[in-house]
């Protein structure tokens, strides 16, 4: 196998270079490189056999217009993951497969027997023989019960494909679909092959994603025929890349209505499961994990707070439009408060408020003040005029110095402001990690506005599942 060998199947991009790079990554489970650990490689490349009959069988299966000199096929396209005596040729996902054409509705031919009886009062004789009349009757027209949702529509001669995802009562059919999907492997198996893919599509490492899926197994909805792993991946892809529902439904081979229901279901469950991952750390833990820059200049810091905004689609309601309008962005936005521990962990995310709300109002209304204890210090920007709110709780506010009516700051104030800016930047980095999820960095549609609070908490919890924000903890 040369360094440039690539799978010859149409649309498959697996090659030896990707395989080599995957083996050079670090295995978190066995704490060593993957090429030395017992974990199997993600795939293998198999060269075309030398026997002429087998060559012709491979080329017939691949249907290549211009086959390369050396043909390689990766293990994804073999039923047994490699050529075997029972299945020596590539048979799966060969690139040219198309969905089967829509089937025409079958018409049932029913023979009605009509018996002519003789009328005693009638002078004409009627034969006693049975008259057979063959009539083509539609199954829907002779049924006394209304058609079930998964049966053919009476208004068209084609099957309604949109109803195929809603056969909730047909358990046997759903089991057959699940068995087929298990045989063909999950979509997530082909999308997520290493940590780079997992970070690209979900924002977390592959091992973290697998652990999350195993935790969510018990929250599955039996109405969905898609594997739980694919359902969770679809939801995280919506948060990470903000792809439209139609695009996700095509990639996971389901209807748009089913994709929308799956995402809505898992947003609720993910928020419920991941909520404990945004804890308010005890003061002892904050002190123990505090970086050296804080210990030297701001040893009593409990948290760093800041507000951020996400653009919102313009509401139709004039009242909502006015409440969510932000003069800073000249656009409708949702505004939320983020509190970060000195070590970089997100400890608090408020609910989403309209862009019209001030930083002081959000701080007072969000409930963060209840977590602060006497003697704590809160670091914030100049816009947080909350000194009076914190004074009541014997909490000190650390903010950069103001010039007020003076022309410039003193040398001591400049040095103090620089020290604050040097450590307060960590809350900006945490918010930037939040904005990696494009659902929060792009315009939020009105249809998802009711779930913005849950989306904020889910994204914050996923950020906390990543590596440390500050790595110089001592």
């Amino acid at each position: 196998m040369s360094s440039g060998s690539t799978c010859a199947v149409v649309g498959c991009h697996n090659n030896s270079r990707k395989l080599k790079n995957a083996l050079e990554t670090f295995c978190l489970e066995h704490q060593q490189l993957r090429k030395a650990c017992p974990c199997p490689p993600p795939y293998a490349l198999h060269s075309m056999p030398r026997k002429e009959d087998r060559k012709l069988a491979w080329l017939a299966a691949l249907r290549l217009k211009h086959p390369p000199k050396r043909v390689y096929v990766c293990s994804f396209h073999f039923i047994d993951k490699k050529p075997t005596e029972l299945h020596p040729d590539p048979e799966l996902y060969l690139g040219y497969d198309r969905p089967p054409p829509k089937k025409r509705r079958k018409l049932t031919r029913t023979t009605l027997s009509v018996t002519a009886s003789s009328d005693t009062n009638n002078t004409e004789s009627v034969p006693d023989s049975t008259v057979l009349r063959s009539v083509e009757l539609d199954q829907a027209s002779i049924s006394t019960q209304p058609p079930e949702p998964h049966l053919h529509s009476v208004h068209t001669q084609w099957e309604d494909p949109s109803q195929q995802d809603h056969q909730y009562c047909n358990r046997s059919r759903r089991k057959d679909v699940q068995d087929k999907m298990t045989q063909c492997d999950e979509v997530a198996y082909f999308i997520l092959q290493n940590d780079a893919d997992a970070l690209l599509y979900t924002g977390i490492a592959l091992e973290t994603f697998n652990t999350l899926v195993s935790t969510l197994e018990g929250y599955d909805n039996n109405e969905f025929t898609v594997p739980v792993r694919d359902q969770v991946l679809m939801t995280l892809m919506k948060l990470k890349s903000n792809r439209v529902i139609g695009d996700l439904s095509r990639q996971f081979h389901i209807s748009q209505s089913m994709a929308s229901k799956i995402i809505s279901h898992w947003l609720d469950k993910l928020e419920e499961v991941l909520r404990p991952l945004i804890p308010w750390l005890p003061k002892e833990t904050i002190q123990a994990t505090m970086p050296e820059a804080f210990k030297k200049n701001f040893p009593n810091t409990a948290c760093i707070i800041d507000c951020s905004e996400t653009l919102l689609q313009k509401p139709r309601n004039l009242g909502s439009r006015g409440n969510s309008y932000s003069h800073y962005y000249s656009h409708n936005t949702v505004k939320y408060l983020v509190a970060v521990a000195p070590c970089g962990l997100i400890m608090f995310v408020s609910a989403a408020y309209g862009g019209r709300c001030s930083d002081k109002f959000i701080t007072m209304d969000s409930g963060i003040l209840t977590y602060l204890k006497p003697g704590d210090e809160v670091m914030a920007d100049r816009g947080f005029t909350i000194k009076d709110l914190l004074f009541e709780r014997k909490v000190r506010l650390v903010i950069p110095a103001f010039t007020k009516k003076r022309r410039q700051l003193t040398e001591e104030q400049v040095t103090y402001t620089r020290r604050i800016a040097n450590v307060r930047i960590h809350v900006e980095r945490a918010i930037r990690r939040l904005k990696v999820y494009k659902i929060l960095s792009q315009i939020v549609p009105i249809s998802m506005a009711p779930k913005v609070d849950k989306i904020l908490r889910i994204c914050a919890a996923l950020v906390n599942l990543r590596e440390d924000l500050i790595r110089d903890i001592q």
Side-chain angles (χ1 to χ4, degrees):
M1 182 172 59
S2 63
S3 60
S5 56
T6 304
C7 182
V9 174
V10 177
C12 184
H13 303 288
N14 290 336
N15 56 38
S16 58
R17 184 173 300 175
K18 290 184 179 179
L19 183 60
K20 182 179 179 181
N21 294 338
L23 295 178
E24 293 295 333
T25 58
F26 190 76
C27 179
L28 298 177
E29 181 179 356
H30 300 94
Q31 295 297 314
Q32 58 183 339
L33 292 179
R34 294 189 183 276
K35 64 181 180 181
C37 76
C39 294
Y43 59 87
L45 290 171
H46 305 282
S47 59
M48 188 167 62
R50 296 183 178 181
K51 293 184 179 180
E52 193 65 27
D53 56 341
R54 295 265 51 86
K55 281 185 180 181
L56 296 177
W58 273 46
L59 294 176
L62 297 176
R63 299 186 190 178
L64 300 176
K65 294 183 179 180
H66 305 287
K69 292 183 180 179
R70 303 185 66 181
V71 177
Y72 294 92
V73 177
C74 68
S75 55
F76 289 152
H77 309 289
F78 294 93
I79 294 180
D80 298 324
K81 303 302 179 183
K82 62 180 180 179
T84 58
E85 294 183 2
L86 187 60
H87 301 284
D89 304 325
E91 302 179 35
L92 300 177
Y93 320 114
L94 299 180
Y96 52 78
D97 296 333
R98 295 291 183 270
K102 296 179 180 179
K103 298 180 181 179
R104 298 180 64 89
R105 185 180 58 183
K106 294 182 180 180
L107 297 178
T108 305
R109 294 181 177 271
T110 305
T111 303
L112 298 181
S113 77
V114 181
T115 305
S117 59
S118 61
D119 190 353
T120 56
N121 296 327
N122 194 350
T123 56
E124 296 181 359
S125 61
V126 180
D128 296 333
S129 60
T130 302
V131 180
L132 299 180
R133 185 182 305 168
S134 179
V135 184
E136 291 184 359
L137 294 177
D138 189 353
Q139 182 68 24
S141 64
I142 66 173
S143 177
T144 58
Q145 299 293 333
E148 296 181 1
H150 65 275
L151 296 180
H152 308 307
S153 172
V154 298
H155 301 292
T156 177
Q157 60 177 350
W158 303 98
E159 286 185 341
D160 188 0
S162 64
Q163 301 295 335
Q164 295 179 0
D165 289 327
H166 303 283
Q167 301 173 8
Y168 304 142
C169 299
N170 196 342
R171 295 298 181 89
S172 61
R173 179 175 177 84
R174 183 168 68 248
K175 186 177 184 303
D176 294 340
V177 174
Q178 290 176 341
D179 293 341
K180 290 180 181 178
M181 296 189 69
T182 303
Q183 294 174 3
C184 299
D185 290 333
E186 302 164 349
V187 177
Y189 180 77
F190 298 98
I191 295 179
L192 305 181
Q193 297 187 8
N194 49 48
D195 284 341
D197 295 338
L199 288 173
L200 176 64
Y201 292 108
T202 67
I204 54 179
L206 182 57
E207 184 179 3
T208 307
F209 174 78
N210 293 334
T211 304
L212 179 61
V213 172
S214 61
T215 305
L216 296 171
E217 288 286 347
Y219 295 85
D220 185 21
N221 189 335
N222 293 330
E223 296 179 354
F224 305 143
T225 59
V226 185
V228 176
R229 184 181 174 90
D230 285 356
Q231 296 179 39
V232 177
L233 175 60
M234 185 193 310
T235 307
L236 295 184
M237 287 175 67
K238 176 61 180 175
L239 299 178
K240 180 64 167 61
S241 57
N242 198 21
R243 293 165 60 179
V244 295
I245 299 296
D247 187 16
L248 293 173
S249 65
R250 286 193 175 190
Q251 184 163 6
F252 288 86
H253 312 294
I254 57 177
S255 66
Q256 293 190 31
S257 60
M258 178 63 70
S260 180
K261 290 179 180 179
I262 289 174
I263 292 175
S264 178
H265 168 78
W266 284 110
L267 285 179
D268 297 335
K269 299 304 178 183
L270 280 170
E271 192 274 336
E272 179 182 345
V273 173
L274 298 179
R275 192 184 306 163
L277 295 180
I278 314 176
W280 189 273
L281 300 178
K283 190 171 184 178
E284 296 77 12
T285 306
I286 295 176
Q287 294 287 338
T289 58
M290 183 173 291
E292 195 65 28
F294 282 91
K295 289 181 180 179
K296 185 177 180 181
N297 300 310
F298 307 99
N300 295 322
T301 302
C303 63
I304 317 167
I305 63 174
D306 198 5
C307 281
S308 183
E309 296 185 61
T310 297
L311 300 183
L312 178 68
Q313 183 183 356
K314 184 184 294 185
R316 293 184 179 180
N317 183 277
L318 294 179
S320 301
R321 187 183 302 179
N323 293 332
S324 61
Y325 186 80
S326 171
H327 291 281
Y328 183 81
Y329 284 91
S330 299
H331 199 283
N332 294 90
T333 64
V334 291
K335 195 172 184 179
Y336 45 91
L337 176 71
V338 179
V340 179
C343 64
L345 184 78
I346 298 179
M347 297 195 302
F348 181 84
V349 176
S350 72
Y353 294 82
R356 186 179 179 181
C357 296
S358 65
D359 296 346
K360 182 176 182 179
F361 173 79
I362 295 177
T363 306
M364 181 175 55
D365 188 71
S366 62
I368 190 175
L369 298 178
T370 59
Y371 293 98
L372 301 175
K373 305 298 181 183
D376 289 341
E377 291 183 357
V378 176
M379 190 171 292
D381 198 8
R382 292 188 180 94
F384 283 84
T385 56
I386 56 174
K387 190 173 183 179
D388 54 336
L389 300 177
L390 299 180
F391 181 78
E392 299 174 356
R393 291 168 170 77
K394 299 181 181 180
V395 177
R396 180 169 175 260
L397 177 64
V398 179
I399 59 175
F402 287 90
T403 56
K404 296 183 179 179
K405 297 182 180 180
R406 293 171 294 184
R407 293 184 178 179
Q408 61 182 9
L409 299 175
T410 63
E411 185 176 351
E412 293 79 6
Q413 290 175 331
V414 171
T415 304
Y416 181 73
T417 301
R418 286 177 178 175
R419 288 175 179 172
I420 293 177
N422 185 41
V423 294
R424 204 189 68 84
I425 192 64
H426 297 310
V427 71
E428 302 288 348
R429 295 176 60 202
I431 292 176
R432 186 168 58 192
R433 279 192 173 184
L434 272 177
K435 295 295 184 71
V436 165
Y437 293 90
K438 292 186 178 179
I439 193 72
L440 298 178
S441 61
Q442 297 178 352
I443 299 179
V444 178
I446 288 296
S447 58
M448 298 198 71
K451 292 187 179 290
V452 171
D453 295 348
K454 294 183 178 181
I455 291 173
L456 284 170
R457 286 189 284 271
I458 293 172
C459 294
L462 294 176
V463 168
N464 285 341
L465 287 175
R466 293 184 58 182
E467 67 275 3
D468 294 336
L469 185 69
I470 306 172
R471 300 185 180 182
D472 60 344
I473 299 176
Q474 298 180 357

